[in-house]
Structures are given as structure tokens and as C-alpha cells.
Amino acid sequence: MAAARPTGSASGALCRQLLLTLAILTFACDACKTVTLHVPSKLDAEKFIGRVNLKECFKSANLIHSSDPDFQILEDGSVYTTNAILLSSAKRSFTLLLSNTETQEEKKILVLLEQQTKVLRKRRSQEKVLIRAKRRWAPIPCSVPENSLGPFPLFLQQVQSDTAQNYTIYYSISGPGVDKEPLNLFYVERDTGNLFCTRPVDREKYPSFELVAFATTQDGYTPEYPLTLLIRIEDENDNFPIFTETTYIFNVSENCRVGTTVGQVCATDKDEPDTLHTRLRYSIIEQFPASPTLFSMHPTTGVITTSSSQLDRELIDKYQLKIKVQDMDGQYFGLQTTATCIINIEDVNDNLPTFTRSSYETSVEENRIDVEILRVAVEDKDLINTANWRANYTILKGNENGNFKIVTDPKTNEGVLCVVKPLNYEEKKEVTLQICVVNEAPHSGSSGSTGNMATVTVNVQNQDEGPECSPAVQIVRIKENVPVSTKGSGYKAYDPETNSSSGIRYKKLSDPKGWVTVDENSGSVTTFRSLDREAETIRHGIYNITILASDEDGRTCTGTLGIILEDMNDNGPFIPQRTVIICKPVMSSAEIVAIDPDEPIHGPPFDFSLDGVSDSEVLRMWRLTKINDTAARLSYLNDPQFGRYTVPVRVTDRLGQSLVTQLNVILCDCVTQSDCNTGLALKTDNRGLILGKWAILAILLGIALLFCVLFTLVCGATGVAKKPKVFPDDLAQQNLIVSNTEAPGDDKVYSTNGFTTHTAGDSPQGICSPLGSGVKNGGQETIEMVKGGQTIESCQEAGHHHTLAVCKGGGQHTLDSCRGGQVEADNCRYTYSEWYTYTQPRLGEESIRGHTLIKN
């Protein structure tokens, strides 16, 4: 079965309804061949009637023209009516002219319009005329115009199976639009297979439908597989483009360059994407204020830019644009929407502040401070309360003494002129200031702008003043050590009105050492005590006292009288470093430096000498060599002993004033002076023997090393591994016990209570045993003892091992068998327990004594 379109020869099986508005069929044709479009007999204006494939005919065409003014062709090949048309005949044609203006090439396409005919229902017996050799049970694409006006039901296409030639076939469909939402939108005639649409469809809600067609016989047999039918809803331009915002607000700086981006607007369209229905164009409809035109809009991106550099916020601070977006690529019949765009002009500092007057005059009393004397106002057209409007004031001239300052009132933006340092009418009766004003923000114009200037005249008003202490610090010179009651000139204050010191009285406010008195009437000073220039509190030879001056009305001022104490040569030079350390191993001398508290005229060059008689011990042990005007080198002679020495050194200045300094010289066994610790010195007599810390450390290290050697000798031999001895089988019956006990040491000799131990040699000969035969034991030690009145001898020959034999009896026994003879077993039969009881306490005793000896 196949989907077949109705023709004139099969009128009996065609649909009942007439295809009207926007039912369009485009037949495939070769490039530049005739194109046939099936249209209703009546066409409304601006209606889409079909599409022509322009690319197949002339791909490089850039100019398209229709020969019939009732029809318009767009770039994508869409054909629209420009006026309402009623086709009087069955056919109508027009020509599309395609050309390339660069190559001058032209091609033509003939468009033929044919009226749609009624589709009549055919009986199954008449379907034989539709039989084709090709299989017809295959999907054919089908489309339904969006929002179609009918009449409904609207015939779409016919599905048919080839098996209908042999069977009675019933057709049915299912899927969305049939038995799923939206229900009952499509249906198929059971006998004919004609597919119909029952009502209009919104493409934005249902862009397409996928139905499944079935062909069955009367008894339910299905000779065909289910057939999938795709029905596409053809888009109609029924949705207006919509701006994303109803009102856009943008900001742009005044005086900006042409082409500066202001902002971008955007719109959306719900119609089918990538078609003329959604191809949008932006434009500015109206600007308020209208003149001059200052803005432009890109038609495809919606970007708004400035088209003039004459934006001036001080003239107009806001513009309002009415903007439009239109689909169909901006064609006049496209749908359109408008929105509002508000553009605020931002302020820049393009206006300098200016004084309201070019000159000002004010007055102030002398001696007044921290007082406001004038306010100056400025005008600025820039935006109020911004850095472009706020003013900064400065004083350019006339304030060299720092008497004035000018600040900005943050509320009124006025300049406030104040006096910060008192003025003196007697010195200057009028002051002329030149002031300048600029903004906080730099000016956007020329960078060299200096601001606006004005002149301020300040008149100083006279006051009845008290005495003036000027200069505040005055100097008088007095020699030190002058006799008490010596007079000198003092401090002088004066009345600024009369410029005289008459009637002014003086009083001493501060005299740290009480050295002088001040005359009440004249202000002169008299010494009350002896003056000492080298006193501890005197700095740079100047002694300061504070004077209070007052007039008859009690008005006062204070000043300082600096007494310069002229130096006298009353101090001898001395050596401030009284202790000198000489590291004898690395030094043979030390440098000494002298100073003189007096002025340099009474100071160096100094003479250094040893103070003492010619035959004194100091002269035999020490020598002085001058280095420069203030230093000398002290050297020792005749290799004196380590210790402390007192060396008197006399230093004489250039005028013969001298002083003896007793130096404490330490000869120390050290490398650096910081290593010398006099507290560790060891004295043997008056000449003394002092051991330095290095010598003491060497002694301690030697003692520690000796102790380590002794300890190693004690412990080393005990760690030697012992080899097992081989004894005769009858050894258990003898009195000789072989001991492998290592304590208190194998290589030591202990002698107490009549027994001796010796270190064993390595010789295999002469080993004592109860049977008179030697037993080898490399490095093994053997002890012999006799209990009760007995003698104990140690058998020792060169390289012999020693065997301990404990013998009974009250008599004295000799162990001659130690030299290889037989030991009598009868006299040597003590048990192991007796031997252990006898030896253990004594071995412990000897161990303790041995350790004590080592420590001593």
C-alpha cells in the first residue's frame, strides 16, 4: 500500500474537500526548469504560496526579480503574494529572473500556478486505475499548514496496500493525535485509506506527529507490517518577536567617542528557527529629544552605539529611544514589536570650578589663631556631590610664613580661609593671598589645567599687646670657674608698641643647678656658684635657664637664656678603659686610648708615660709606644707570668695638664680577650700561676682518658669467649675444682687473705690438675687455695694455665705437682660447696677494693 496524491483521472476516489489557503505542493524539477505550484483559486495578500529551489538553478545569483508584480520572491526561494489574487483561469505563470551582477550572468525560472481540484471518494472496484507495479505500502512525507482554516475534515493523503488487489483491506491508525493527546486530531477511512485532519494545529505546541498505519483483512489477518507516517506541521508566522525586557536602561559617558557601545537589546520569536519567520531585524523608531540624532542600532545584533561625540550631560542628562524588532528579515509584512530604551548620560569632569568673584577682602586681629576669616564660593556645572564637583582649594602666594590655611566645607563646597599662626601688626599690616581651586577628580580636558584663581586681601588689626620675648632664645658667654658674683649680660624683652624695654621686669623660672641669679629690672645674670663646663648635665657647653618677662599690666612672655660656658684647661686627660687584657699566647701588647673632657684646644696631642722611678719594677716589665695623638701601645717585657698587674700611666695634654690612670693589666692564657675568665685564675705566689680554662680543660680530658683506659682493661678481658675444657672422667672424685667464673676479672691480680690470681697464658704445658696432668684452656684462669693453716701457691710458668686446688687438713701443703707432678688426692678432697662458701665473700671483697683503687 502507498500514499498516493489525487489526480484528474482518478476523480472517483479523490477527497471530498477543496484544498484552500496555503495548501502548497512543490514538484521536483531540474535546475532552471518550470516549477509548478498548486494553489487555491483565491489568494489573499502577503500569503506564502510555495518555495522555489534557487540554488539548483543559479547558486551564485545575488539579484532576484519577479516578472509579475503580484508576486514577491525572497532569498530562500519563498514566494509570497503582494496583492489579493483571484485566478480566473486554471493556470497562471510568471518568470523569476536570477542574475549575478559581477559576472553579468542571468538565468530564468518559469513558475506555473495551477488551481487545486476536488478530491472525490472512489469505490474500491474503481481503484484498478491506480494499480502500479511499484510497491505502495511505504511512507510518504506529509505536512499540514499551521492554523489551517479548513474546511475540515481536511484531506491529507491516502495510504494503500498492494494486497488490496486480492483481499478486502481495512485501514486504521494510532499514535499521538489519534488515540493519544491531542485525541481525534487525525483519522483514516477504513475502506479507502484516506487520511484526514479534523481541526487546526499549533506548530509551537505540536511541531510534528508520528502515526502508525495498519492494513488488515476482514478476518484480522495483517498482510503488511505496520507503517510509520510522519506528519510535519508547516510553520506559519503567527508569533510576534518579543523583547527580553520592556524597558532597557543603559549608561554612557558624556563626550565619548563616536562608535562607543551603549548597550545591546535582544528579542526572541517562537516560530520555527532558521526560517524567515524568526529572522529578526532591530531598528530605532524614535529618539527623545529628537534632535540631534546621537545613537544608532545594528540591525542584526541589536547593539546600540553612539553616532555623535556631542553628548553633554550639562545640556541633556537622559535620552529615551523607541526601538523595534521585526521578523521576516525586516520585510514590511513581518510581525513587529516595540520597546523602550533609556540612556543615562554619565558625568565627566569637563567643567572647571570658578570663583564667583575675582578678588576678596577681609580682616583679622593680630595674635589671633584658629579663627575663620573668610568664605569663598565657586560654581561648577558638573554633577553635584561627586568628585567632579567637589572643590580643592590651595594658597599659591602670600602664605610663606604659614599663617593661613584654606579648607573645603563638605556641605556647601565653599573654601574656608583660617588663621593658624598669629599675625603681627607691627611687622605687617596687610597680607595679600592668591588662592586657586580645582576639582578632586582630574579634568578631562587638557592635563595642564591649573584651575581658577582669585586674590584675597587680609587687613591685620592692631591690638594692645604685652611684652614680646624676641628672639625667644638669647645667648650670653661666661667663662667656667669664674669667681662667684661675676655679672654678665642677660635676657632682654621689649614692648612692641614702644619698641622699648622700659618698665619690663624679669624673673627666673628655671635654673637646673642654681648657678645664677637674674636682676629683676635689667634681666642681667650674676653667678651664684662656680660654673663647670664639664658637669654631667651640660650639653655642648651650654647652660639654659628660662626667663619670665612681665609689664605693668601683668602681661607676660617667656624666653630662654643660653649661657655658653667658655672652656678652661681644668681637666687632665685620662684613660677610660681601666682594665686591659693581653692574651699572652697570641698578643704581646694592648692599645690604650685617652680622652680629655676639655675642648680640643686644651686636648690632644697627648703624651703617654709610665709613672714611677727609674729603677722601679714597672719600668722593667712594661713599655709604652705612641701610636697617634690620642693612643699608645702598652707592651710587656721579660716574659712575665700570667696574672694581674697594676700599671700607672700618666697622660699629658698639649698645655701640660696631666693625670695618672692606674691600669689593671691582666696577662691571660687565652686566644681572644673574651675567652679570659679571671675567676678561674690559679695563683701560686705573688707572681702567680694562672691556669686558663683551656689548660684546665686539657687536664680534665687527660684524667677522663686515663679512666677510660683502665675501665677498658677491666672489662675487655671479661668479654673474651670461653672454650669448654676437657677433663678426665674421674674429675668428679677429686678435690680440684675448675672454675669458669669471670668476676671480678680475668686479667687482674688480686692479693688478699693468702691467695693470688694470675692471668693465664697460652702455653699448653704445666697445667695443674688433680691427676698431675695439664689441661689446655686458652686464656683460662685457675685459682689454688688451701683451707685452714694451709699455703696457697700460684703455679705460674711462662704461658702456663693455672688450676685452683682446695686441700683439706690443718697442715701446710705445697703443690709441687703444679710443675707437672702428681697431686695427692687424699689431702685435696674438699667438696664444691665448701669451696664456693669460702671463695665467694672474698672475691666480692676484692672486687670492691679493686674498684676503689682504680677510682683513687
Side-chain angles (χ1 to χ4, degrees):
M1 183 176 70
R5 297 186 179 275
T7 61
S9 61
S11 59
L14 296 180
C15 295
R16 306 171 187 171
Q17 306 298 328
L18 177 66
L19 295 178
L20 296 177
T21 308
L22 300 178
I24 304 162
L25 294 175
T26 303
F27 289 85
C29 65
D30 296 334
C32 300
K33 297 289 182 67
T34 301
V35 177
T36 302
L37 301 177
H38 293 271
V39 297
S41 59
K42 183 179 180 180
L43 296 174
D44 295 331
E46 300 180 1
K47 287 298 181 179
F48 175 70
I49 63 173
R51 184 175 287 109
V52 179
N53 192 340
L54 302 178
K55 298 298 181 182
E56 288 184 357
C57 178
F58 195 5
K59 188 173 183 179
S60 61
N62 56 17
L63 182 62
I64 306 171
H65 178 68
S66 173
S67 62
D68 192 335
D70 290 336
F71 301 95
Q72 180 183 16
I73 180 96
L74 301 183
E75 294 178 0
D76 63 346
S78 299
V79 180
Y80 286 84
T81 60
T82 58
N83 303 303
I85 298 174
L86 180 63
L87 297 180
S88 59
S89 61
K91 294 184 179 181
R92 179 172 176 172
S93 64
F94 61 92
T95 303
L96 297 179
L97 179 63
L98 309 179
S99 61
N100 188 317
T101 57
E102 296 179 359
T103 62
Q104 303 298 322
E105 185 178 359
E106 294 183 355
K107 290 188 179 182
K108 296 181 180 180
I109 300 177
L110 178 62
V111 180
L112 180 63
L113 303 181
E114 292 184 356
Q115 293 186 29
Q116 292 177 337
T117 59
K118 293 185 178 181
V119 180
L120 302 178
R121 182 179 303 174
K122 299 189 300 179
R123 301 182 59 86
R124 293 185 57 82
S125 61
Q126 296 175 333
E127 290 178 357
K128 293 182 180 181
V129 296
L130 299 176
I131 296 176
R132 298 177 183 175
K134 188 177 179 181
R135 288 278 293 168
R136 290 181 292 176
W137 186 250
I140 296 178
C142 177
S143 62
V144 178
E146 180 184 15
N147 302 323
S148 174
L149 299 178
F152 295 103
L154 179 65
F155 172 78
L156 301 181
Q157 67 176 7
Q158 183 184 33
V159 293
Q160 190 175 18
S161 172
D162 292 341
T163 59
Q165 299 176 10
N166 303 320
Y167 303 97
T168 300
I169 299 298
Y170 296 139
Y171 300 96
S172 62
I173 57 174
S174 67
V178 181
D179 51 4
K180 296 180 182 178
E181 290 294 335
L183 298 174
N184 302 320
L185 178 61
F186 302 102
Y187 74 90
V188 66
E189 289 183 341
R190 188 185 71 164
D191 296 329
T192 64
N194 292 330
L195 181 63
F196 294 91
C197 177
T198 62
R199 59 182 181 272
V201 185
D202 185 2
R203 190 208 66 84
E204 285 70 44
K205 190 173 182 181
Y206 302 105
S208 65
F209 295 90
E210 189 174 288
L211 307 180
V212 179
F214 302 93
T216 60
T217 62
Q218 291 179 345
D219 55 359
Y221 172 69
T222 56
E224 301 282 2
Y225 289 106
L227 177 66
T228 300
L229 300 176
L230 180 63
I231 301 176
R232 187 177 65 86
I233 308 303
E234 291 186 356
D235 184 47
E236 181 186 23
N237 190 23
D238 58 341
N239 289 281
F240 285 81
I242 303 299
F243 281 104
T244 56
E245 297 181 26
T246 56
T247 302
Y248 293 89
I249 299 177
F250 300 118
N251 298 319
V252 65
S253 298
E254 63 175 329
N255 301 327
C256 62
R257 296 180 180 179
V258 174
T260 301
T261 299
V262 178
Q264 184 177 15
V265 299
C266 184
T268 60
D269 195 322
K270 294 182 180 180
D271 288 323
E272 186 174 0
D274 301 324
T275 64
L276 283 174
H277 298 164
T278 56
R279 188 175 296 177
L280 307 181
R281 285 291 183 269
Y282 301 90
S283 60
I284 298 175
I285 300 176
E286 183 181 7
Q287 173 186 301
F288 180 81
S291 180
T293 301
L294 301 175
F295 305 97
S296 62
M297 175 179 284
H298 194 280
T300 58
T301 62
V303 175
I304 302 175
T305 56
T306 57
S307 58
S308 172
S309 61
Q310 303 303 315
L311 293 175
D312 190 351
R313 190 206 63 83
E314 286 72 38
L315 295 178
I316 301 174
D317 62 352
K318 181 191 298 183
Y319 290 88
Q320 182 172 313
L321 304 180
K322 184 178 181 181
I323 57 177
K324 178 187 75 172
V325 61
Q326 189 171 17
D327 60 14
M328 300 301 293
D329 204 19
Q331 298 292 335
Y332 66 93
F333 50 82
L335 303 179
Q336 64 182 24
T337 304
T338 61
T340 301
C341 179
I342 297 175
I343 301 176
N344 297 315
I345 309 303
E346 294 180 339
D347 183 49
V348 298
N349 190 20
D350 57 342
N351 293 280
L352 289 173
T354 57
F355 288 104
T356 56
R357 297 165 53 185
S358 60
S359 63
Y360 301 86
E361 186 173 356
T362 185
S363 61
V364 62
E365 292 182 349
E366 64 174 334
N367 300 322
R368 295 286 302 276
I369 61 172
D370 297 329
V371 59
E372 176 185 321
I373 62 173
L374 179 67
R375 281 180 173 260
V376 293
V378 294
E379 294 178 347
D380 196 325
K381 296 180 181 180
D382 290 319
L383 188 61
I384 296 176
N385 294 325
T386 65
N388 301 330
W389 174 81
R390 287 189 289 268
N392 280 342
Y393 299 88
T394 54
I395 302 175
L396 299 180
K397 294 181 181 179
N399 193 34
E400 288 76 11
N401 295 328
N403 298 98
F404 304 93
K405 77 171 181 180
I406 188 168
V407 295
T408 305
D409 188 330
K411 295 181 179 180
T412 63
N413 209 32
E414 294 176 319
V416 181
L417 183 64
C418 303
V419 177
V420 295
K421 185 178 178 181
L423 296 166
N424 192 333
Y425 173 83
E426 287 71 28
E427 292 181 357
K428 206 168 188 179
K429 298 178 177 59
E430 181 182 278
V431 180
T432 300
L433 304 176
Q434 188 179 48
I435 59 176
C436 175
V437 62
V438 295
N439 290 124
E440 287 185 3
H443 189 256
S444 62
S446 60
S447 58
S449 176
T450 57
N452 189 247
M453 291 179 288
T455 302
V456 178
T457 302
V458 181
N459 297 313
V460 183
Q461 297 177 352
N462 188 28
Q463 266 188 334
D464 187 10
E465 302 170 290
E468 184 173 334
C469 295
S470 179
V473 178
Q474 301 180 19
I475 302 298
V476 60
R477 291 180 175 271
I478 302 177
K479 293 184 178 181
E480 66 171 334
N481 299 328
V482 296
V484 176
S485 301
T486 299
K487 291 187 177 181
S489 59
Y491 194 89
K492 289 294 182 180
Y494 66 95
D495 187 344
E497 305 295 334
T498 62
N499 202 22
S500 169
S501 299
S502 176
I504 297 178
R505 297 184 178 276
Y506 302 91
K507 180 182 178 181
K508 182 177 66 173
L509 290 181
S510 172
D511 182 5
K513 291 187 173 293
W515 281 352
V516 297
T517 58
V518 177
D519 186 86
E520 183 180 8
N521 297 318
S522 64
S524 61
V525 295
T526 303
T527 60
F528 184 70
R529 293 187 177 87
S530 178
L531 307 180
D532 184 5
R533 179 184 172 278
E534 290 74 34
E536 184 177 356
T537 57
I538 303 302
R539 295 289 181 269
H540 308 293
I542 300 177
Y543 180 65
N544 293 321
I545 62 175
T546 305
I547 303 297
L548 175 68
S550 59
D551 60 7
E552 295 176 353
D553 297 329
R555 292 171 293 193
T556 63
C557 69
T558 57
T560 299
L561 179 64
I563 301 175
I564 299 177
L565 300 175
E566 296 181 348
D567 185 45
M568 303 293 292
N569 193 18
D570 56 345
N571 293 280
F574 66 95
I575 302 171
Q577 184 179 353
R578 299 300 180 91
T579 301
V580 177
I581 299 175
I582 300 177
C583 292
K584 192 174 179 185
V586 296
M587 299 168 58
S588 61
S589 62
E591 183 178 331
I592 56 177
V593 179
I595 61 174
D596 193 332
D598 294 326
E599 287 189 351
I601 193 174
H602 298 138
F606 299 141
D607 288 331
F608 296 85
S609 61
L610 296 173
D611 189 57
V613 296
S614 59
D615 58 347
S616 67
E617 184 179 0
V618 173
L619 297 178
R620 290 195 301 272
M621 291 183 60
W622 306 98
R623 180 178 62 189
L624 280 173
T625 304
K626 188 173 181 180
I627 299 176
N628 52 38
D629 290 348
T630 60
R633 188 177 305 282
L634 178 64
S635 308
Y636 60 80
L637 304 174
N638 302 323
D639 192 19
Q641 297 292 328
F642 294 114
R644 295 177 181 269
Y645 301 88
T646 300
V647 181
V649 178
R650 180 181 295 275
V651 187
T652 306
D653 63 19
R654 66 168 62 190
L655 298 181
Q657 185 78 334
S658 64
L659 187 65
V660 176
T661 302
Q662 300 293 333
L663 294 182
N664 180 23
V665 182
I666 301 175
L667 292 180
C668 188
D669 184 12
C670 58
V671 177
T672 61
Q673 293 181 355
S674 60
D675 295 336
C676 185
N677 188 351
T678 57
L680 297 178
L682 301 177
K683 297 184 179 180
T684 56
D685 51 17
N686 291 335
R687 297 178 67 86
L689 175 60
I690 301 176
L691 296 180
K693 64 181 182 181
W694 295 107
I696 295 173
L697 180 60
I699 294 173
L700 294 176
L701 289 176
I703 294 173
L705 182 60
L706 179 61
F707 178 79
C708 290
V709 171
L710 293 176
F711 185 76
T712 303
L713 292 176
V714 172
C715 298
T718 61
V720 179
K722 309 302 186 295
K723 293 183 179 180
K725 292 184 178 182
V726 180
F727 295 98
D729 296 336
D730 60 347
L731 183 60
Q733 303 299 325
Q734 309 299 323
N735 292 329
L736 182 62
I737 304 300
V738 178
S739 172
N740 289 329
T741 304
E742 297 183 14
D746 297 334
D747 55 348
K748 305 298 178 295
V749 177
Y750 303 98
S751 178
T752 178
N753 294 332
F755 75 91
T756 305
T757 64
H758 296 272
T759 303
D762 295 331
S763 174
Q765 301 296 327
I767 297 180
C768 299
S769 71
L771 301 180
S773 60
V775 180
K776 291 184 180 180
N777 186 4
Q780 186 64 43
E781 182 180 18
T782 307
I783 302 174
E784 291 181 338
M785 292 183 295
V786 178
K787 186 177 179 182
Q790 72 274 20
T791 61
I792 303 174
E793 297 180 359
S794 174
C795 302
Q796 181 177 4
E797 294 180 6
H800 285 192
H801 293 277
H802 305 285
T803 304
L804 175 63
V806 182
C807 302
K808 281 186 179 181
Q812 190 173 15
H813 301 275
T814 60
L815 301 182
D816 295 334
S817 59
C818 292
R819 296 181 177 84
Q822 179 72 28
V823 178
E824 296 181 3
D826 292 340
N827 296 329
C828 300
R829 288 195 177 272
Y830 277 90
T831 64
Y832 172 78
S833 60
E834 291 175 331
W835 174 82
Y836 183 83
T837 303
Y838 177 79
T839 58
Q840 277 303 106
R842 290 165 175 77
L843 289 175
E845 247 179 71
E846 294 308 315
S847 176
I848 295 172
R849 291 181 183 177
H851 284 291
T852 304
L853 288 173
I854 291 173
K855 291 181 179 179
N856 293 334

